Amino acid sequence: MLDRRFAPLFWCQAFAAFNDNFLKTALVVLILYRAKGSPALVALAGGVFILPYLLCSGIAGEMADRFDKARVATVVKGVEIGAAGLAVAGFLAGSVPVLFAALLGFGVLAALFGPVKYGLLPDLLETARLPLANAMVDFATFLAILAGTALGGLLGAREPWLLGAVVMGFALLAFGAAALIPGRGRRGRG
């Protein structure tokens, strides 16, 4: 996890997976406890996050094949800061529609990042290290999902500024890690 080629991708994915699930869970808690929303809105939150995977996967794969994957990762995570800003505005305003728009943005960006993260691994690491790297990325993803879901549930009914700070902080961390992923001209295997 300290390898200069692998670590940025590992941490970028971990921070992003945490943030996606923190936002989704905090939104669900907000719907249930603050906005007195219906369970249908809770189900809709899951659908809003997953739908972009169905709609954007083909485009995401083409982008990962056509462009420098490290650059795509950095751009996607840069745009995610804007989506995090929308989430901050939604939390501060207590606006469920704005938070749904932010969640949709996070879903689109996660769908665009998916093929990039797995496409980068063979570019960054030698073939013998790929199974371990895949396992580590999956481990980080599931651990981040668990942590983001737990913390989103715990903090979801708390102060809006705290929710916004967590979402923005993790978006910035993911962007910072993405910016350190070696691009085509900076790669070296070994």
Side-chain angles (χ1 to χ4, degrees):
M1 290 197 302
L2 298 177
D3 183 292
R4 64 181 169 79
R5 293 170 313 278
F6 175 70
L9 177 61
F10 175 89
W11 289 111
C12 178
Q13 170 60 18
F15 294 145
F18 173 91
N19 216 15
D20 293 344
N21 288 279
F22 177 84
L23 174 61
K24 183 174 62 169
T25 305
L27 172 58
V28 165
V29 170
L30 181 73
I31 289 168
L32 290 175
Y33 295 102
R34 284 203 173 163
K36 306 286 189 259
S38 72
L41 282 177
V42 172
L44 183 62
V48 163
F49 184 73
I50 297 298
L51 181 63
Y53 285 91
L54 298 172
L55 301 177
C56 299
S57 291
I59 294 167
E62 286 182 31
M63 283 175 45
D65 286 342
R66 178 180 275 188
F67 302 108
D68 179 8
K69 294 171 194 66
R71 178 79 179 127
V72 172
T74 303
V75 169
V76 165
K77 295 305 164 189
V79 173
E80 193 169 292
I81 293 170
L86 187 60
V88 169
F91 282 128
L92 293 176
S95 173
V96 172
V98 171
L99 287 166
F100 265 97
L103 186 62
L104 178 64
F106 269 72
V108 168
L109 295 166
L112 294 176
F113 185 67
V116 169
K117 73 181 173 202
Y118 288 112
L120 268 167
L121 287 174
D123 292 347
L124 299 173
L125 300 170
E126 60 202 25
T127 304
R129 295 177 67 196
L130 289 178
L132 177 61
N134 276 310
M136 290 177 70
V137 168
D138 282 348
F139 171 77
T141 300
F142 289 113
L143 187 60
I145 289 169
L146 179 63
T149 300
L151 194 61
L154 181 66
L155 298 180
R158 301 278 195 264
E159 294 297 321
W161 65 266
L162 179 59
L163 301 172
V166 170
V167 169
M168 184 57 74
F170 275 87
L172 291 168
L173 287 170
F175 173 74
L180 296 174
I181 297 170
R184 283 188 181 144
R186 302 177 300 176
R187 290 195 187 128
R189 293 178 168 213

